[in-house]
């Protein structure tokens, strides 16, 4: 039994307010008691005498009859959305009857329930949901291990984010990749958004002119530094590595074929510097410079060497200074050794772990490793991700094969680990498009999962295993003054585990911010290991406005106790809670300190809106 249930069942010392009483849960996939109504002319709904008044008598009659408890106009600069209102009625009212009465008014354009939207179903890519080998492991088990499937509920990536893959080229015609290939729009002569590898006179994109003046002629989808042309296609049999890595970063997802990518929409910029396993450091330096100059946000380098090369380092330093994030593999020698480019401080060095979160058989390890990603150890029956791989001699074997565009199981090793970290970086960049590279890196490391491997305790496996879901959400202890939300923007912050504001620090939440709280406590901590709590040992400033309230609500609402609520212990530093909406909590606020709560709505809280213990609670303008 949770702390609050024990409290309520035993004795409630002081319940100052009971609101949102014992809601029956979610019926008919809508929020109980809530409507969205659009009017032809603004009826100017406003508080009046404990209720609400309008400029239309017939509307006043309806609101009086059904006891309208709250009304707010939709805030929008779009003319077609003006005169739209959010209305709330007591939970027992029949919304269908209210809608019928409203629709009889000529001024009402539409009236509908506040329908709930659920997270999209898992992607329908074949290998994401199948165990092709019958060994009990899904083909793309690493995405579940990293909780990528949950991260995709927050962001699936963005077409505005570009990931350069410096490698052996890319099968840019592959049906599971072609939609996500970066296009240099100024070199796309026929402006159709794809690379047509033919002369301009034949309807293609090749005109022999450097149209964007970047010193590379006809570089529509990237560049081949081996042949010095704009077709980075893997021409040699066995040169699948670049296509493998690209598919891990951004295979087209939810298209009913093949595999899912680490992101669904990131644009892949292929830059070819090798045809087989040997990567030229000089070509790599040129490739880094090309990626940076042409707008890449993150650069994947799934290769390494023992000797640092100055030209490559100089190019990376320049790109790092411009805010580009570099990711490289740790190498597969099963040794504690420096490998470059990964060992340079400007680069995220990625080691590999298995499904038990121990270092794989081959992965290198060292104090300069930054993070790990799940992989399939060499010689083990466990499969890695299915990767799109071009092999012109391959026979059709796997679901979705269309030779020469095929799918193959591959041992990911640290190369695949780097690509999976690159995908996580791209998700973070999509979620925080204006954030600095330092912020993206810090969030990447913050979300990493601790490892049982003793090498992790020795500081030789970096921050642990990458987990984009944890990186994209809030959880754990806040031990610095922190702000959630962006001034002037309607921002959403996702919470996946218990949050504790440490003593001496303040969590400030910007007006207009919505806090979405997951149904399950991903960290399995706190007084209730199943549901999420927000514990305030320091201070909380949730100072919304009437026009931009702060909302705390369930991520995907299921009941009136989807999360626990706020808890202020006797040593808490206090709070400002004004113009907030607190929903779906087991209780709203439990406080052992004197606390003032103003202009705040409590709805669908299982036991009580506010539970006071050993303190004085001042409640004003709350419903």
């Amino acid at each position: 039994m949770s702390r609050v249930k024990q409290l309520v069942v035993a004795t409630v010392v002081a319940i100052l307010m009971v609101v949102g009483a014992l809601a029956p849960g979610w019926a008919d996939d809508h929020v109980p008691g809530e409507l969205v109504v659009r009017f032809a002319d603004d009826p100017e709904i406003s508080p009046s005498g404990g209720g609400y008044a309008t400029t239309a008598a017939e509307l006043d009659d309806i609101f009086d009859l059904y006891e309208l408890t709250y009304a707010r106009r939709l805030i929008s600069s779009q003319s077609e959305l003006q005169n739209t209102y959010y209305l709330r009625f007591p939970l027992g009212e029949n919304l269908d009857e209210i809608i019928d009465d409203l629709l009889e008014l000529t001024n009402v354009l539409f009236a509908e329930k506040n329908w709930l939207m659920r997270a999209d179903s898992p992607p329908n890519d074949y290998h994401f949901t199948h165990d092709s080998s019958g060994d009990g492991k899904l083909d793309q088990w690493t995405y579940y291990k990293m909780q990528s499937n949950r991260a995709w509920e927050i962001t699936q990536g963005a077409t505005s984010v570009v990931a350069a893959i410096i490698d052996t080229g890319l099968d840019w015609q592959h049906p599971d990749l072609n939609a996500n290939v970066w296009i240099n729009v100024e070199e796309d002569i026929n402006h159709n958004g794809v690379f047509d590898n033919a002369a301009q006179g034949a309807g293609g994109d090749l005109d022999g002119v450097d149209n964007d003046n970047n010193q590379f002629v006809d570089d529509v989808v990237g560049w081949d530094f081996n042949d010095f042309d704009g077709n980075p296609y893997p021409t040699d049999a066995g040169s699948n590595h670049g296509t493998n890595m690209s598919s891990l970063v951004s295979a087209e997802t939810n298209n009913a074929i093949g595999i899912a990518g680490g992101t669904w929409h990131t644009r892949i910029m292929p830059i070819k510097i090798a045809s087989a396993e040997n990567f030229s450091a000089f070509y790599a330096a040129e490739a880094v410079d090309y990626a940076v100059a042409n707008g890449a946000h993150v650069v994947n380098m799934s290769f390494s060497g023992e000797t640092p090369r100055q030209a490559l380092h100089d190019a990376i330093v320049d790109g790092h200074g411009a805010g580009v994030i570099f990711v490289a593999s740790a190498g597969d020698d099963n040794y504690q050794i420096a490998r470059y480019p990964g060992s340079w401080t400007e680069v995220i060095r990625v080691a590999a772990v298995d499904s038990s979160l121990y270092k794989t058989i081959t992965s290198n390890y060292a104090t300069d490793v930054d993070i790990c990603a799940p992989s399939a150890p060499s010689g083990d029956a466990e499969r890695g991700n299915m990767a799109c791989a071009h092999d012109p001699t391959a026979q059709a074997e796997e679901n979705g094969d269309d030779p020469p565009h095929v799918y193959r199981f591959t041992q990911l090793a640290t190369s695949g680990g780097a690509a999976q970290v690159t995908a996580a970086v791209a998700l973070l960049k999509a979620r925080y498009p204006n954030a600095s590279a330092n912020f993206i890196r810090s969030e990447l490391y913050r979300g990493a999962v601790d490892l049982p491997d003793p090498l992790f305790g020795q500081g030789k496996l970096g921050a642990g295993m990458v987990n984009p879901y944890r990186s994209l959400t809030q959880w754990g202890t806040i031990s610095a003054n922190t702000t959630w939300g962006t001034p002037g923007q309607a921002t959403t912050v996702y919470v996946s585990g218990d949050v504790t504001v440490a003593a001496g620090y303040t969590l400030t939440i910007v007006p207009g911010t919505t806090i979405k709280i997951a149904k399950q406590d991903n960290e399995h901590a706190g007084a209730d290991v199943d549901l999420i709590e927000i514990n305030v040992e320091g201070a909380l400033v949730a100072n919304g406005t009437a026009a931009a309230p702060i909302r705390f609500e369930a991520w995907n609402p299921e009941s009136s106790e989807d999360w626990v609520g706020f808890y202020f212990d006797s040593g808490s530093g206090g709070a400002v809670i004004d113009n907030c909406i607190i929903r779906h909590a087991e209780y709203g606020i439990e406080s052992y300190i004197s606390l003032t709560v103003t202009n705040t709505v409590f709805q669908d809280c299982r036991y009580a809106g506010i539970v006071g213990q050993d303190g004085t609670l001042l409640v004003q303008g709350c419903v």
Side-chain angles (χ1 to χ4, degrees), residues 308-324:
R309 299 300 180 186
Q310 191 64 47
L312 176 57
H313 191 206
D314 287 346
I316 289 173
V317 169
D318 287 345
H320 178 76
V324 178

Side-chain angles (χ1 to χ4, degrees), residues 460-482:
K460 297 176 181 177
L461 291 176
M465 186 192 70
V466 63
N467 185 306
Y469 175 66
R470 283 163 51 105
S471 291
L472 288 163
T473 58
Q474 298 299 319
W475 52 273
T477 299
I478 295 175
S479 55
N481 291 333
T482 300

Side-chain angles (χ1 to χ4, degrees), residues 149-466:
N149 53 319
R150 301 195 70 180
W152 296 333
E153 294 179 22
I154 301 170
T155 178
Q156 298 162 356
T159 59
S160 58
V161 176
V162 178
I165 310 297
I166 300 177
D167 216 290
T168 61
L170 169 65
D171 178 6
W172 46 266
Q173 295 176 319
H174 198 292
D176 223 7
L177 283 169
N178 58 4
N180 286 343
V181 176
W182 170 79
I183 296 293
N184 186 349
V185 293
E186 293 185 58
E187 296 289 350
D188 180 18
I189 300 302
N190 57 17
H191 306 295
N192 64 353
V194 298
F195 178 30
D196 295 299
N197 189 25
Q200 180 181 13
D205 292 317
L206 307 183
D207 63 356
V209 178
D210 180 12
N211 294 284
D212 59 354
N213 297 311
N214 69 349
Q215 303 181 58
F216 297 91
V217 175
D218 294 333
D219 58 325
V220 183
V221 292
W223 195 256
D224 179 351
F225 281 95
N226 284 287
D227 301 315
F228 214 76
D229 63 34
N231 186 4
Y233 196 79
T235 53
D236 300 327
S239 59
N240 306 312
H241 196 264
T243 302
N244 293 163
M245 298 305 105
S246 297
S247 70
L248 294 175
V249 175
S250 192
E252 187 178 356
T253 305
N254 208 35
N255 62 349
I257 65 169
I259 70 167
T263 78
W264 297 23
H265 306 298
T266 299
R267 291 299 185 245
I268 297 298
M269 178 192 292
I271 309 176
K272 183 178 177 181
I273 63 170
S275 295
E277 296 181 356
N278 295 318
F279 288 59
S280 160
F282 177 73
Y283 288 165
E286 290 185 307
V288 166
D289 184 72
Y290 178 92
V292 172
N294 287 279
H297 299 97
V298 55
V299 176
N300 187 84
M301 300 177 292
S302 290
F303 54 84
S304 66
E306 293 185 17
T307 305
R309 299 300 180 186
Q310 191 64 47
L312 176 57
H313 191 206
D314 287 346
I316 289 173
V317 169
D318 287 345
H320 178 76
V324 178
I325 298 174
F326 294 89
V327 183
S329 49
D332 299 286
D333 310 293
N334 188 30
Y335 195 67
Q336 181 175 257
I337 187 174
R339 300 279 288 186
Y340 300 92
S343 291
W344 287 318
T345 59
E346 298 85 7
V347 181
I348 298 172
R349 190 183 186 195
V350 183
V353 294
D354 60 25
S355 60
S356 298
L357 302 188
Y358 284 82
K359 186 188 77 66
T360 61
I361 295 171
T362 61
S363 176
N364 288 341
Y365 56 97
T367 55
D368 61 17
V369 165
D370 294 296
I371 200 166
C372 300
S375 179
S378 177
D380 192 283
E382 186 172 49
R383 290 183 165 197
N385 279 40
M386 286 293 295
C388 307
H390 170 74
D391 185 343
T393 65
Q395 300 298 313
E397 297 177 3
E398 299 291 350
N399 181 275
D401 274 3
D402 181 18
H405 315 295
V406 297
Y407 301 86
R408 291 292 175 270
F409 286 105
T410 182
Q411 301 291 346
L412 298 181
T414 61
S415 287
Q420 293 184 113
V421 170
T422 293
V425 169
L427 289 176
L428 283 163
K429 187 64 179 175
R431 179 79 176 96
Y432 305 109
N434 299 316
S436 68
N438 286 339
F439 174 84
I440 298 294
R441 287 180 67 146
S442 67
E443 292 298 279
L444 179 77
Y445 301 148
R446 180 181 64 84
V449 175
D450 289 350
L451 307 175
D453 194 316
L455 290 172
F456 175 72
Q458 299 168 22
K460 297 176 181 177
L461 291 176
M465 186 192 70
V466 63

Side-chain angles (χ1 to χ4, degrees), residues 506-537:
T506 300
L507 170 61
T508 301
I509 303 177
V510 173
T513 301
T514 296
I515 313 300
K516 293 282 190 181
I517 302 167
K519 172 71 173 177
Q520 296 85 23
D521 179 358
N522 200 54
E523 306 306 306
H524 304 293
D528 189 322
V529 297
D530 297 318
L531 299 180
I532 290 172
E533 312 155 32
I534 299 180
N535 301 298
V536 184
E537 297 172 359

